[in-house]
Amino acid sequence: MSRTAEPLIVGRVIGDVLDSFIPSIKMSVTFNNKQVFNGHEYYPSAVATKPRVEIQGGDLRTFFTLVMTDPDVPGPSDPYLREHLHWIVTDIPGTTDATFGREMVSYEIPRPNIGIHRFVFVLFKQIRRQTIRPPSSRDNFSTRDFAAENDLGLPVAAVYFNAQRETAARRR
């Protein structure tokens, strides 16, 4: 098993959101110049702006789709609304970042209400450009089904962070 996949197994991203895969592309996700590492916690206010997502692999003729979801809706102890879709960007050329792609579903700020939520970024390699169909809803989204419906196969990279509701005391 790949060392880069281990935190995804421990954090139950592999299982709850994704099937087991071997990461083959390096993806970097940063909010305000702070890189996201698996399992690290961020306040919702720190992730309120769209992150920079860089793809360090492939080439300009290789295209990728980025999906961001929350599998812990409405709360991690009973996620009966799993998953909530936060962002989709398609047609991202290799060696570039998400700003070079086509935003299919706009970025939605994480707003966890109950407990600690995982927010998962998943990168898929596309067979070709402009072949991805948008989902009908952000609610009850399935990353696995979306990948299957769009012939994306297994992911090539993934990373997740944790966030929980900010209390008034924390914001001071």
Short mmCIF file of all heavy atoms in Angstrom, two decimals, residues 4 6 18 58-59 74 132 159 164:
data_model
loop_
_atom_site.label_atom_id
_atom_site.label_comp_id
_atom_site.label_asym_id
_atom_site.label_seq_id
_atom_site.Cartn_x
_atom_site.Cartn_y
_atom_site.Cartn_z
N THR A 4 1.32 7.38 0.75
CA THR A 4 0.47 8.56 0.61
C THR A 4 -1.01 8.19 0.76
O THR A 4 -1.83 9.06 1.02
CB THR A 4 0.70 9.28 -0.74
OG1 THR A 4 0.57 8.32 -1.79
CG2 THR A 4 2.06 9.94 -0.79
N GLU A 6 -2.07 5.89 3.04
CA GLU A 6 -2.33 5.47 4.42
C GLU A 6 -3.22 6.42 5.20
O GLU A 6 -4.18 5.98 5.84
CB GLU A 6 -1.01 5.22 5.16
CG GLU A 6 -0.35 3.93 4.75
CD GLU A 6 1.03 3.75 5.37
OE1 GLU A 6 1.34 4.46 6.36
OE2 GLU A 6 1.77 2.90 4.88
N LEU A 18 -14.13 6.92 -1.31
CA LEU A 18 -13.40 6.35 -2.44
C LEU A 18 -13.10 4.88 -2.23
O LEU A 18 -13.01 4.42 -1.09
CB LEU A 18 -12.05 7.09 -2.59
CG LEU A 18 -12.09 8.60 -2.76
CD1 LEU A 18 -10.69 9.18 -2.67
CD2 LEU A 18 -12.73 8.96 -4.09
N GLY A 58 1.52 14.89 -15.28
CA GLY A 58 0.87 14.93 -16.59
C GLY A 58 1.55 15.98 -17.45
O GLY A 58 2.67 16.41 -17.18
N ASP A 59 0.86 16.41 -18.49
CA ASP A 59 1.36 17.49 -19.33
C ASP A 59 0.16 18.29 -19.82
O ASP A 59 -0.97 18.00 -19.43
CB ASP A 59 2.20 16.95 -20.50
CG ASP A 59 1.43 15.96 -21.37
OD1 ASP A 59 0.24 16.21 -21.66
OD2 ASP A 59 2.02 14.94 -21.77
N PRO A 74 -25.48 15.29 7.77
CA PRO A 74 -25.34 16.54 8.51
C PRO A 74 -24.33 16.48 9.65
O PRO A 74 -23.84 17.50 10.10
CB PRO A 74 -26.73 16.80 9.06
CG PRO A 74 -27.30 15.42 9.23
CD PRO A 74 -26.72 14.59 8.12
N ILE A 132 -17.30 15.67 -19.32
CA ILE A 132 -17.86 15.53 -17.97
C ILE A 132 -19.25 16.19 -17.92
O ILE A 132 -19.42 17.32 -18.35
CB ILE A 132 -16.94 16.18 -16.91
CG1 ILE A 132 -15.50 15.67 -17.06
CG2 ILE A 132 -17.47 15.95 -15.50
CD1 ILE A 132 -15.32 14.18 -16.94
N VAL A 159 -6.71 14.36 -1.05
CA VAL A 159 -6.26 14.91 0.23
C VAL A 159 -7.51 15.41 0.95
O VAL A 159 -8.50 15.78 0.30
CB VAL A 159 -5.21 16.04 0.04
CG1 VAL A 159 -5.81 17.27 -0.61
CG2 VAL A 159 -4.53 16.39 1.36
N GLN A 164 -14.69 22.07 11.88
CA GLN A 164 -15.90 22.07 12.69
C GLN A 164 -16.37 23.49 12.85
O GLN A 164 -15.65 24.44 12.56
CB GLN A 164 -15.65 21.40 14.05
CG GLN A 164 -14.60 22.07 14.91
CD GLN A 164 -14.36 21.28 16.17
OE1 GLN A 164 -15.29 20.92 16.88
NE2 GLN A 164 -13.09 21.00 16.46
#
